[in-house]
Amino acid sequence: MSGWKPGSPHQYQPVYGAPEPGPAPVYAPTTYAPPPPQPPYGGGGYGGDTKSPYEGERFKPKKRINDPIFLILFIAQLVGFIIISVITLSKFGNAGGLGGGVGSDGTGGDITLNYHTVILLLFVTGAGLLLSAIYLLLARAFTKALMHITLVLSILLNIGICVYYWITKYWSGAIVFTVIALFSILAYWGYRSRIPLASLLLQVVMDVTKHYPSVYFVAFSALILQAALSVWYTFTVIATYVKYTPGSPTCELGVSCSKGKVIGFLIYETFSFLWTSQVIGNVALATLAGGPFGSWYYFGPREQGMMPAHPTLSSFVRASTLSLGSVAFGSLIVTLLELVKMLLNIARNNANADGHPVEACLALCAECFIGCIESAVEYFNRYAYIEIALYGKPYISAAKDTWRLFKDRGIDALVNDSLVGMTLTWGAYAVGLLCSLFAYLYLRYTHPAYNADGQYTAPVVLFAFLIGLMCSLTLSSAIEAGVSTIFVGLGEDPQVLAIRAPPLFAMIASTYPQVVQGVPRV
């Protein structure tokens, strides 16, 4: 792939019947031009394949509920969150929210969080929505440049954290992040050579989404639902502080207050929020993989007339009913790992504050280890959800087939998918950091009474970061769904990509010949 240059025969030209009205998108290495007509699926494409798009129950799975136990558990935890929310919010309303408001300076109760924080985090949610949409537009307009920038920024971030820990004499963190920084620097050249293919892949997905408005409808619907959940979670968390913090006015109304209750409820509420957030994003991913992206790959553009009616709606119905238990199963694994990582982070901070560097170093190493496992599981699950969306499999069966797909086609080819994911994930972290910065500045310049000594700055900023992060990840998951769906289709039926996007197929075939051999389905 290092031999690829602008102007080579592998320039990308989207494969559609006619260009859309308005200005044509411009990429750095290529120009947008209408391509020649495509033959239908199985009509003598690469290798002369004649398989049906419905092979192996694809798009027409059996009518059965998969992984019902995890479906029941997911519904039960959501009901539990609703009950806790109703109880805490009722007392929160009786307490009048302890005062506070927009820009309030020193007003409201000084015991715990109040309406000032609610309004602040509502602002944060709005900012997260806006920033997420802006970043997606930037990724569409400056694909290749943004990949270079995010790759360099990731390395600089690792170096910056490393230097900061050495300066502050946080030895355990400094040692760990020195290793991470060195590894990221060494890996830079390998990643950099793969950017042309990764950017071409992302551009293909972007052009597909332009012809299927349902992609953005699903993405923004999931984003709005995620934002609503974030607001609900915010109110519930603050109401929990108000109701159970010792010294709060609600304690005088017969409520048993203790720090233990606050911690216990916050852990459960955060667990429920993370699990439900994961499920929302993954249902959206499965909807897009089994709907517009999967249908485009196996049936061709809508103009050819072979695509089934309402593919996005049909895919959503399958993902939110028959396959919801399987999606909840995979999401629960990631949620538990995230909770363990959060608890290790708390243990590390406590050990560091108490002057125990050995314990802090061990906790940090364990946290990094769990984080690596979590990232690997999230990445693996994305492909498993696509198998679930296309074939209606239970989670375990989908996971087995996903591993076989990885093993047979070569893990190295997945680096390109990783670059796309890294670009979008970096954007999510940037949105989360900007949201947390906004929350910090708002607290600093409005001076709420409950935060006179800064004791609530850390949790409020953390909540703001989580809200911004989850909003952006939900939106970017739509694009990642398209990238991953193409890789799954490429692994199973590579000849189809030779019809849909010949330049992309040619570049992949020249770089990773083992990938385009296809994976036999068993």
Side-chain angles (χ1 to χ4, degrees), residues 62-268:
K62 294 179 181 178
K63 303 294 183 180
R64 60 169 181 251
I65 297 178
N66 295 318
D67 299 306
I69 294 177
F70 293 94
L71 176 60
I72 294 172
L73 288 175
F74 175 72
I75 295 174
Q77 68 83 23
L78 187 58
V79 171
F81 178 80
I82 294 172
I83 293 173
I84 292 175
S85 179
V86 170
I87 294 174
T88 54
L89 287 174
S90 64
K91 293 295 182 180
F92 182 62
N94 294 337
L98 300 182
V102 178
S104 297
D105 193 347
T107 63
D110 59 1
I111 300 299
T112 187
L113 306 179
N114 55 42
Y115 275 137
H116 177 282
T117 317
V118 174
I119 295 171
L120 163 60
L121 294 183
L122 286 175
F123 285 156
V124 166
T125 301
L129 288 168
L130 179 61
L131 292 171
S132 300
I134 291 174
Y135 187 81
L136 191 61
L137 293 175
L138 290 174
R140 176 65 179 84
F142 307 103
T143 310
K144 195 171 182 181
L146 203 59
M147 284 189 172
H148 280 284
I149 292 172
T150 54
L151 183 57
V152 173
L153 285 177
S154 298
I155 297 173
L156 292 178
L157 177 64
N158 290 330
I159 295 175
I161 295 175
C162 170
V163 171
Y164 173 76
Y165 281 159
W166 282 112
I167 293 175
T168 57
K169 299 181 180 180
Y170 181 25
W171 308 121
S172 57
I175 294 172
V176 171
F177 272 92
T178 297
V179 175
I180 295 175
L182 290 174
F183 177 78
S184 63
I185 293 172
L186 294 174
Y188 169 75
W189 302 108
Y191 276 110
R192 184 172 178 269
S193 64
R194 288 167 168 81
I195 285 179
L197 178 54
S199 63
L200 187 62
L201 177 64
L202 185 56
Q203 288 169 6
V204 170
V205 175
M206 289 291 189
D207 282 323
V208 172
T209 62
K210 188 174 66 173
H211 289 261
Y212 295 91
S214 59
V215 171
Y216 291 105
F217 176 79
V218 171
F220 276 100
S221 296
L223 183 59
I224 291 171
L225 189 60
Q226 180 65 65
L229 178 65
S230 299
V231 172
W232 187 10
Y233 168 70
T234 297
F235 271 86
T236 303
V237 165
I238 294 174
T240 300
Y241 272 110
V242 170
K243 181 175 181 180
Y244 295 110
T245 299
S248 174
T250 57
C251 299
E252 302 173 1
L253 302 176
V255 176
S256 175
C257 299
S258 68
K259 289 186 177 180
K261 281 190 174 182
V262 173
I263 295 173
F265 278 118
L266 286 180
I267 291 176
Y268 179 81

Side-chain angles (χ1 to χ4, degrees), residues 444-459:
R444 181 170 182 177
Y445 290 105
T446 56
H447 309 293
Y450 69 82
N451 199 44
D453 298 326
Q455 66 271 32
Y456 283 103
T457 297

Side-chain angles (χ1 to χ4, degrees), residues 335-351:
T335 301
L336 292 176
L337 290 171
E338 180 66 23
L339 274 181
V340 172
K341 191 171 69 171
M342 292 174 63
L343 293 175
L344 288 171
N345 181 267
I346 294 173
R348 173 171 62 87
N349 291 334
N350 290 338

